[in-house]
Amino acid sequence: MKAIFIGVGVGPGDPELMTLKAARYIEQADVISYIVNDKGVSQAKTIAADALLRCKSTQEIPVVMPMSEDRRIANKVYDAAAARIGQAVEAGLTVVFLCEGDPLFFGSFAYLLERLQSQVTCEVVPGISSVHAASSALQLPLTVQKESFAVISGRHSQQKIIDTLNNHDSVVILKAGRSRQYILDAISAANRTDDANYLEYISRDNQKIQRDIRTLENEAGPYFSLFVITKTTQGRGQ
């Protein structure tokens, strides 16, 4: 494999949902890079653990990302990481960056790609996103026929969420944890409570599915949580 920077999607959590190409690129990498929190935990690295056992290289570039909404802090981290990764690729090494879900869907890889794609050769290996994993877990189509579909983040304003729910047949709300209660209020305000499902840790051992969101506690949820709101089964496709 030639010297290149590759964003590799490792899927939502179940190692068996990684693609064959993702596993092969991980195994052939000269350097493995990944986001890690200040406690030393990397979700993407954990998901790719089996493939990493077959990786001959021991070189790593961990990207320590503090839990902060201050983008100035994040940008400094991405600047430093991009510099290290760029130097490695220019030295003739292939760097594989592990990404939860898909690299270009709410992924940190996008910020590194923006910084590096004009300097080094880059490639992207897509992965299964939490959106599609959630649809599979629910055994619920996201869209059929002429239905519209939107993805929004829990970081948006409550009014933005309400407008999205009013204007689209199916909506997925990501990053729901901290904002869970006001998302519930928005769903209620849009009269979509009966259409909504809540999921945590999709495809992982501690996966949780709540089909009646009225039973959710009035508290924040985990980072890895989302809402899936679709039309009720009755009447779809007519």
Side-chain angles (χ1 to χ4, degrees):
M1 189 182 297
K2 63 182 179 179
I4 190 172
F5 176 47
I6 310 173
V8 172
V10 298
D14 182 349
E16 292 186 333
L17 292 178
M18 282 178 51
T19 65
L20 294 173
K21 188 169 187 177
R24 176 168 61 85
Y25 274 28
I26 292 169
E27 293 165 15
Q28 295 176 353
D30 296 314
V31 181
I32 297 292
S33 185
Y34 49 86
I35 294 289
V36 61
N37 66 21
D38 50 13
K39 296 180 180 179
V41 177
S42 170
Q43 296 290 336
K45 188 179 180 183
T46 299
I47 296 169
D50 289 344
L52 287 169
L53 289 174
R54 297 185 291 275
C55 180
K56 297 179 181 179
S57 175
T58 58
Q59 295 189 60
E60 297 186 354
I61 300 178
V63 181
V64 182
M65 184 62 67
M67 290 298 292
S68 171
E69 295 185 3
D70 188 338
R71 293 308 299 175
R72 294 172 297 179
I73 295 174
N75 284 330
K76 287 181 180 179
V77 172
Y78 288 129
D79 287 343
R84 291 187 63 191
I85 291 168
Q87 290 170 1
V89 176
E90 290 171 354
L93 301 175
T94 291
V95 180
V96 164
F97 186 82
L98 306 176
C99 314
E100 300 159 37
D102 180 86
L104 296 178
F105 185 73
F106 286 90
S108 297
F109 173 75
Y111 304 114
L112 295 171
L113 180 66
E114 180 182 19
R115 288 164 167 80
L116 287 167
Q117 63 185 158
S118 64
Q119 303 173 32
V120 300
T121 303
C122 300
E123 186 175 339
V124 182
V125 178
I128 295 174
S129 72
S130 59
V131 172
H132 294 95
S135 173
S136 296
L138 292 168
Q139 298 183 31
L140 186 67
L142 291 173
T143 57
V144 296
Q145 300 292 325
K146 295 182 179 180
E147 292 180 357
S148 60
F149 171 54
V151 178
I152 193 170
S153 166
R155 295 174 178 172
H156 283 92
S157 69
Q158 190 175 71
Q159 189 58 52
K160 177 72 172 180
I161 294 173
I162 293 171
D163 291 343
T164 303
L165 290 165
N166 284 333
N167 290 320
H168 296 279
D169 301 298
S170 297
V171 177
V172 172
I173 307 173
L174 298 174
K175 303 183 186 295
R178 293 182 182 179
S179 307
R180 189 168 80 182
Q181 188 52 49
Y182 91 76
I183 292 173
L184 287 170
D185 292 341
I187 293 172
S188 176
N191 296 315
R192 301 293 301 270
T193 299
D194 290 334
D195 298 342
N197 300 270
Y198 172 79
L199 304 95
E200 296 176 355
Y201 300 109
I202 302 306
S203 84
R204 307 184 190 197
D205 292 338
N206 56 341
Q207 173 177 288
K208 174 183 176 181
I209 298 176
Q210 200 85 9
R211 293 180 182 271
D212 183 357
I213 66 170
R214 295 178 182 86
T215 63
L216 285 173
E217 298 83 0
N218 183 9
E219 59 187 28
Y223 178 82
F224 295 101
S225 59
L226 54 82
F227 286 88
V228 176
I229 301 97
T230 68
K231 279 188 172 180
T232 54
T233 303
Q234 184 177 6
R236 291 188 87 168
Q238 294 183 3

